[in-house]
Amino acid sequence: MSTQSLLTDRSLDFLEKYLNNASPTGFESEGQKLWMDYLKPYVDTFITDTYGTAVGIINPDAKYKVIIEGHADEISWYVNYINEDGHIYVIRNGGSDHQIAPSKRVNIHTKKGIVKGVFGWPAIHTRNRDKEENAKIDNLFIDIGCENKEEVEKMGVHVGCVITYPDEFMILNNNKFVCRAIDNRMGGFMIAEVARLLHENKKALPFGLYITNSVQEEVGLRGAEMITHSIRPNVAIVTDVCHDTTTPMINKKIEGEIKIGKGPVITYAPAVQNNLRELIIQSAEESKIPFQRLASSRVTGTDTDAFAYSNGGVASALISLPLRYMHTTVEMVHQEDVENVIRLIYATLLNLENEDTFSYFK
């Protein structure tokens, strides 16, 4: 395949629209509609499940089933308590970082539409500088400009409303994609691009391919846990993000050494089936795709774990996209890494033999 950019103008337009759209955990359906609309020309059919996981299928009648997967949800907040002065207190929906919240703008999603607000924070002049109080869940509050609780409720805001950040897509220095929710809407984008390449290059696969965009990963891999029992795959190749560890304040002795721009990351972990991982490495080497290695101890912390341990054991592997500033509103990835993850999944699918068991005991 060419080393020129894989991404078309249509691809990039979709990516920007997809990242900018809010898809908080448990409320992913609008983003899934965008994703399925983009994917539709490249697949034979779709399935969806009760909680909103979406799957585009190529060769739906094939017995042998291969999943390529990303997750659709982004971290967010819930309205948890409204006091009499109209201040709104929150709890996490996924791993939202309390330290980045003060002074951030927010969108509160209500049945009446988006209500704008801000995470308020006392001015530096008024804080006790001898004993600074850090941002914590119990002192974070949102101000939507209302005088009291009754006024807040008239705006349509109530306990259980989900809250997202409005920060949108931008490109830094021509090749760094920056946005909230790159974890892991970029995964959904990359697997959709694999389907596009298969279609445009007229590649006929001998097996069924299930391009899977799972919900609720950020609260415990729940969407993958559900959909794997519906599909009952033979193989699962998962893509998610991992940490660039070369920015300040990260200990490489603990986190390993991974850097954006250096290629996809191939994980070693108990949940990763060794023969499938070696096929991925072989595919990278044959296609001259740069890659990095990462070791995970007990779990990968990704949907790989849900697929691997389902249905009596599914051959599963993880191809990660290096990311800076995870779970902030300025998550950053390198365009070359995005394209090389796409290339690597594509190359692996073309090398994957129909009905391969990946057994260690052949």
Side-chain angles (χ1 to χ4, degrees), residues 59-305:
N59 299 337
D61 296 328
K63 181 180 177 183
Y64 191 77
K65 300 175 183 179
V66 177
I67 280 178
I68 56 174
E69 191 259 7
H71 73 81
D73 56 318
E74 65 180 289
I75 56 172
S76 56
W77 302 95
Y78 278 122
V79 174
N80 187 50
Y81 166 65
I82 305 166
N83 72 11
E84 292 305 319
D85 292 324
H87 297 131
I88 299 166
Y89 289 81
V90 299
I91 57 172
R92 291 185 177 93
N93 184 19
S96 297
D97 188 344
H98 54 281
Q99 291 202 45
I100 72 161
S103 82
K104 291 295 297 180
R105 301 180 187 205
V106 298
N107 289 335
I108 304 177
H109 298 259
T110 79
K111 290 181 180 178
K112 296 181 178 180
I114 298 291
V115 173
K116 297 285 187 181
V118 297
F119 272 111
W121 196 247
I124 189 170
H125 318 69
T126 65
R127 301 201 297 268
N128 183 345
R129 289 177 291 283
D130 293 330
K131 189 180 179 182
E132 282 274 15
E133 188 170 6
N134 295 322
K136 299 177 292 186
I137 288 292
D138 63 4
N139 65 15
L140 285 179
F141 66 92
I142 291 172
D143 188 335
I144 62 171
C146 291
E147 301 293 330
N148 51 51
K149 181 177 181 179
E150 182 181 7
E151 195 174 341
V152 169
E153 291 175 339
K154 284 181 179 177
M155 298 277 283
V157 176
H158 55 75
V159 170
C161 285
V162 71
I163 304 156
T164 60
Y165 295 117
D167 302 66
E168 295 193 337
F169 178 78
M170 66 178 178
I171 299 175
L172 292 182
N173 195 26
N174 297 315
N175 59 13
K176 309 302 188 307
F177 295 155
V178 177
C179 197
R180 42 155 261 289
I182 286 178
D183 174 15
N184 181 36
R185 213 105 82 240
M186 191 63 78
F189 171 75
M190 293 187 298
I191 59 175
E193 288 297 276
V194 172
R196 177 178 68 81
L197 291 179
L198 290 168
H199 177 82
E200 291 179 354
N201 294 324
K202 296 181 170 58
K203 298 294 184 181
L205 298 175
F207 46 76
L209 183 64
Y210 291 69
I211 301 104
T212 302
N213 209 8
S214 298
V215 298
Q216 299 195 27
E217 188 272 350
E218 297 289 357
V219 291
L221 323 180
R222 299 308 187 191
E225 182 181 324
M226 290 183 275
I227 200 65
T228 187
H229 291 292
S230 300
I231 297 173
R232 300 187 65 83
N234 301 94
V235 178
I237 299 172
V238 174
T239 186
D240 206 325
V241 295
C242 66
H243 302 286
D244 177 320
T245 64
T246 64
T247 57
M249 300 165 54
I250 297 178
N251 186 343
K252 295 186 185 70
K253 293 177 182 177
I254 295 173
E255 302 295 340
E257 185 168 8
I258 299 294
K259 186 172 185 177
I260 64 171
K262 297 293 186 181
V265 179
I266 297 173
T267 293
Y268 291 69
V272 173
Q273 213 278 345
N274 296 330
N275 290 336
L276 178 57
R277 185 195 60 242
E278 291 306 304
L279 177 65
I280 292 169
I281 291 172
Q282 174 192 330
S283 300
E285 291 172 343
E286 289 175 354
S287 298
K288 296 182 171 53
I289 300 168
F291 66 92
Q292 305 173 80
R293 290 181 168 93
L294 178 67
S296 292
S297 183
R298 292 175 60 85
V299 297
T300 70
T302 72
D303 284 335
T304 313
D305 303 327

